[in-house]
Short mmCIF file of all heavy atoms in Angstrom, two decimals:
data_model
loop_
_atom_site.label_atom_id
_atom_site.label_comp_id
_atom_site.label_asym_id
_atom_site.label_seq_id
_atom_site.Cartn_x
_atom_site.Cartn_y
_atom_site.Cartn_z
N ALA A 17 13.93 -13.26 -13.40
CA ALA A 17 12.90 -13.40 -14.45
C ALA A 17 12.79 -14.85 -14.93
O ALA A 17 11.69 -15.30 -15.28
CB ALA A 17 13.23 -12.47 -15.62
N HIS A 20 10.38 -16.48 -12.63
CA HIS A 20 9.06 -15.85 -12.45
C HIS A 20 8.57 -15.32 -13.80
O HIS A 20 8.29 -14.15 -13.95
CB HIS A 20 9.15 -14.72 -11.41
CG HIS A 20 9.66 -15.17 -10.08
ND1 HIS A 20 8.83 -15.62 -9.08
CD2 HIS A 20 10.92 -15.28 -9.59
CE1 HIS A 20 9.56 -15.98 -8.02
NE2 HIS A 20 10.83 -15.78 -8.32
N GLU A 25 4.23 -7.39 -12.89
CA GLU A 25 4.18 -6.49 -11.72
C GLU A 25 5.25 -6.86 -10.71
O GLU A 25 5.93 -6.00 -10.15
CB GLU A 25 2.80 -6.53 -11.05
CG GLU A 25 1.65 -6.03 -11.90
CD GLU A 25 1.02 -7.12 -12.77
OE1 GLU A 25 1.53 -8.27 -12.79
OE2 GLU A 25 0.02 -6.82 -13.44
N ARG A 70 -21.82 -20.41 -2.79
CA ARG A 70 -23.08 -20.38 -3.54
C ARG A 70 -23.59 -18.94 -3.60
O ARG A 70 -23.65 -18.27 -2.57
CB ARG A 70 -24.10 -21.25 -2.81
CG ARG A 70 -24.86 -22.15 -3.73
CD ARG A 70 -25.78 -23.06 -2.92
NE ARG A 70 -25.32 -24.44 -2.86
CZ ARG A 70 -25.43 -25.31 -3.86
NH1 ARG A 70 -25.97 -24.95 -5.00
NH2 ARG A 70 -25.00 -26.55 -3.72
N THR A 104 -3.94 -11.52 -9.22
CA THR A 104 -3.21 -12.66 -9.80
C THR A 104 -2.03 -12.97 -8.88
O THR A 104 -1.67 -12.12 -8.05
CB THR A 104 -2.63 -12.32 -11.19
OG1 THR A 104 -1.68 -11.25 -11.00
CG2 THR A 104 -3.69 -11.89 -12.18
N LYS A 118 8.14 -2.00 3.40
CA LYS A 118 7.27 -1.04 4.09
C LYS A 118 7.21 -1.36 5.59
O LYS A 118 7.41 -0.50 6.44
CB LYS A 118 5.86 -1.15 3.48
CG LYS A 118 4.87 -0.18 4.08
CD LYS A 118 3.42 -0.49 3.69
CE LYS A 118 3.18 -0.82 2.25
NZ LYS A 118 1.75 -0.74 1.88
N GLY A 174 -12.86 -4.38 3.54
CA GLY A 174 -12.90 -3.33 4.56
C GLY A 174 -13.19 -3.94 5.93
O GLY A 174 -13.16 -5.17 6.10
N LEU A 217 -0.45 9.25 5.21
CA LEU A 217 0.03 9.82 3.94
C LEU A 217 0.18 11.34 4.05
O LEU A 217 1.16 11.93 3.59
CB LEU A 217 -0.98 9.46 2.84
CG LEU A 217 -0.74 10.03 1.44
CD1 LEU A 217 0.53 9.43 0.83
CD2 LEU A 217 -1.93 9.73 0.52
N GLU A 233 -0.99 24.44 3.82
CA GLU A 233 -1.89 25.57 3.68
C GLU A 233 -1.91 26.09 2.24
O GLU A 233 -0.87 26.47 1.69
CB GLU A 233 -1.41 26.68 4.64
CG GLU A 233 -2.27 27.92 4.69
CD GLU A 233 -3.57 27.68 5.46
OE1 GLU A 233 -3.52 27.05 6.53
OE2 GLU A 233 -4.62 28.12 4.95
N SER A 246 -8.01 7.48 -0.07
CA SER A 246 -8.16 8.86 -0.56
C SER A 246 -9.19 9.65 0.24
O SER A 246 -9.01 10.85 0.46
CB SER A 246 -8.50 8.90 -2.04
OG SER A 246 -9.41 7.93 -2.35
N VAL A 284 -19.41 13.38 -3.35
CA VAL A 284 -18.65 12.50 -4.26
C VAL A 284 -18.39 11.14 -3.60
O VAL A 284 -18.48 10.10 -4.26
CB VAL A 284 -17.30 13.15 -4.67
CG1 VAL A 284 -16.44 12.16 -5.43
CG2 VAL A 284 -17.54 14.38 -5.52
N ALA A 371 5.29 6.27 2.36
CA ALA A 371 4.18 7.22 2.51
C ALA A 371 2.86 6.56 2.91
O ALA A 371 2.03 7.19 3.55
CB ALA A 371 3.99 8.01 1.21
N ALA A 387 -2.85 -8.13 21.91
CA ALA A 387 -1.97 -9.00 22.71
C ALA A 387 -2.00 -8.60 24.17
O ALA A 387 -1.87 -9.45 25.06
CB ALA A 387 -0.55 -8.95 22.17
N ARG A 414 18.22 10.25 6.96
CA ARG A 414 19.56 9.83 7.39
C ARG A 414 20.31 9.10 6.27
O ARG A 414 21.52 8.92 6.35
CB ARG A 414 19.47 8.95 8.65
CG ARG A 414 19.08 9.74 9.90
CD ARG A 414 19.56 9.04 11.16
NE ARG A 414 18.81 7.82 11.45
CZ ARG A 414 17.60 7.79 12.03
NH1 ARG A 414 17.00 8.91 12.37
NH2 ARG A 414 17.00 6.64 12.27
N ARG A 416 20.52 10.31 3.34
CA ARG A 416 20.74 11.36 2.36
C ARG A 416 22.11 11.27 1.66
O ARG A 416 22.22 11.47 0.45
CB ARG A 416 20.61 12.73 3.02
CG ARG A 416 20.63 13.87 2.04
CD ARG A 416 20.65 15.21 2.76
NE ARG A 416 19.77 16.15 2.10
CZ ARG A 416 18.87 16.88 2.73
NH1 ARG A 416 18.71 16.78 4.02
NH2 ARG A 416 18.12 17.73 2.06
N CYS A 419 21.74 8.84 -0.91
CA CYS A 419 20.44 8.86 -1.57
C CYS A 419 19.99 10.30 -1.78
O CYS A 419 19.04 10.75 -1.11
CB CYS A 419 19.39 8.11 -0.76
SG CYS A 419 19.80 6.41 -0.42
N GLY A 436 15.01 0.08 4.20
CA GLY A 436 14.25 -1.16 4.41
C GLY A 436 15.15 -2.37 4.22
O GLY A 436 15.13 -3.33 5.01
N ARG A 438 18.41 -2.58 4.60
CA ARG A 438 19.37 -2.74 5.71
C ARG A 438 18.72 -3.45 6.89
O ARG A 438 19.32 -4.35 7.48
CB ARG A 438 19.86 -1.37 6.18
CG ARG A 438 20.95 -0.80 5.34
CD ARG A 438 21.56 0.40 6.10
NE ARG A 438 21.84 1.50 5.25
CZ ARG A 438 22.86 1.56 4.41
NH1 ARG A 438 23.69 0.55 4.32
NH2 ARG A 438 23.05 2.62 3.66
#
Side-chain angles (χ1 to χ4, degrees):
H20 302 270
E25 296 88 355
R70 226 176 253 284
T104 62
K118 182 192 316 196
L217 176 67
E233 183 74 44
S246 41
V284 172
R414 289 204 289 280
R416 188 186 222 131
C419 303
R438 279 193 221 284

